[in-house]
Amino acid sequence: MANETTEPIAMIAIDGPAASGKSTVGRLLAERLHYLYLDTGCMYRAVTWAALQQKVAIGDETAVTQLAHDIQMEIFPANGEEDGRHYTVHVAGQDITWELRTPTVDANVSQVSSYLGVRQEMVKRQRAFGQRGAVVMVGRDIGTVVMPDAPLKLYITASAEERARRRTQDRSEQGHIANYDDILADVLRRDQIDSSRTHSPLRPAADAIRIDSTDQPPAAIVNAILQMIQEPVNGNR
Ligand code: DC
């Protein structure tokens, strides 16, 4: 990736709130660099989907944690599926990629992801994925907890109104009913839960580079990041 004088970056950690554009930036960056891409939010969503499916009470922390340990989850590249997906998620061999995006999963995933035991199990799996190297990993705690030694950490934000606008558009494009005011309320509610939870709250790592995507399209952000990592800084990078 980088120029002749630098080693390739093994891991790029990207964090930020819901609909901040971090997943799009991460995916495009991974494509441009020929890196693996892991959207860790889909793992918490898969646990939530399985709990709902198996009628495990979302408030039952012990049962949801047990399920997180037992869940057989696989994440693959999209591999030619032409339905707009960016990757494929299987649980126990079943393709649940689109099930992860339903309003019911949205409404329950913050609670599931607040459970310590669930987080510990997902972090273990995420670190194993990171061991492969040449990975772009996106989430809420990648730079702070999952991969604190990642050589490049980005924290991407955008105003709540802009994030709600994007999510409303995504929802409509996916054929769901989308009301901007409801979505804005949900974005604010999830920000509150994600950033105030006891375990691994959403916050930038001390050494993360902060990027505001409110007025910048993802492609421009990706170009800026590529330029940054390909230009030597202080003679090192
Ligand atoms: O990015 P997303 O909307 O798909 O994330 C779904 C939920 O999972 C969200 O409530 C935050 C949580 N999450 C987390 O706690 N840690 C991560 N690394 C990724 C997502």
Side-chain angles (χ1 to χ4, degrees):
M1 162 194 61
N3 61 38
E4 304 101 330
T5 63
T6 59
E7 289 293 307
I9 294 175
M11 160 69 61
I12 300 177
I14 307 183
D15 294 300
S20 59
K22 61 187 186 306
S23 304
T24 309
V25 167
R27 185 170 47 76
L28 295 176
L29 198 55
E31 264 171 36
R32 295 274 294 271
L33 294 168
H34 304 289
Y35 276 26
L36 294 170
Y37 169 66
L38 180 62
D39 168 10
T40 58
C42 81
M43 300 172 70
Y44 293 96
R45 287 173 179 272
V47 174
T48 306
W49 174 84
L52 293 165
Q53 183 77 4
Q54 295 175 27
K55 305 211 178 333
V56 170
I58 296 294
D60 184 343
E61 181 169 351
T62 307
V64 174
T65 302
Q66 186 60 48
L67 193 152
H69 279 268
D70 296 342
I71 193 169
Q72 193 203 329
M73 182 195 305
E74 290 165 297
I75 304 165
F76 313 102
N79 279 344
E81 292 278 358
E82 303 249 338
D83 58 0
R85 68 180 60 195
H86 300 304
Y87 48 78
T88 293
V89 182
H90 282 185
V91 165
Q94 183 186 346
D95 182 349
I96 57 148
T97 311
W98 287 114
E99 315 293 325
L100 301 180
R101 302 288 148 193
T102 61
T104 322
V105 170
D106 267 8
N108 289 286
V109 67
S110 280
Q111 187 171 359
V112 167
S113 65
S114 73
Y115 295 149
L116 178 62
V118 171
R119 302 202 66 81
Q120 287 171 332
E121 178 60 25
M122 295 303 114
V123 168
K124 195 169 90 187
R125 296 183 189 205
Q126 289 154 15
R127 286 184 180 147
F129 191 96
Q131 292 305 317
R132 302 183 199 182
V135 172
V136 177
M137 202 179 290
V138 174
R140 302 290 192 290
D141 60 343
I142 310 305
T144 51
V145 175
V146 181
M147 293 286 166
D149 296 330
L152 181 63
K153 297 174 194 160
L154 306 170
Y155 188 83
I156 303 186
T157 54
S159 70
E161 291 73 19
E162 172 61 15
R163 291 186 286 125
R165 193 195 63 70
R166 291 175 189 168
R167 185 122 305 171
T168 308
Q169 189 177 341
D170 288 351
R171 275 278 156 66
S172 325
E173 284 170 7
Q174 288 161 13
H176 296 293
I177 295 167
N179 175 282
Y180 171 84
D181 291 333
D182 293 346
I183 290 178
L184 177 60
D186 187 54
V187 161
L188 292 171
R189 186 184 67 87
R190 284 178 51 198
D191 281 359
Q192 219 278 331
I193 300 180
D194 293 345
S195 54
S196 64
R197 69 183 176 213
T198 314
H199 310 297
S200 312
L202 169 67
R203 62 180 171 78
D207 54 349
I209 297 167
R210 298 177 194 218
I211 298 170
D212 186 335
S213 76
T214 307
D215 298 316
Q216 292 189 78
I221 297 175
V222 169
N223 284 336
I225 297 168
L226 286 172
Q227 207 166 15
M228 192 167 65
I229 61 185
Q230 285 166 352
E231 270 174 12
V233 172
N234 299 330
N236 295 322
R237 168 146 296 170

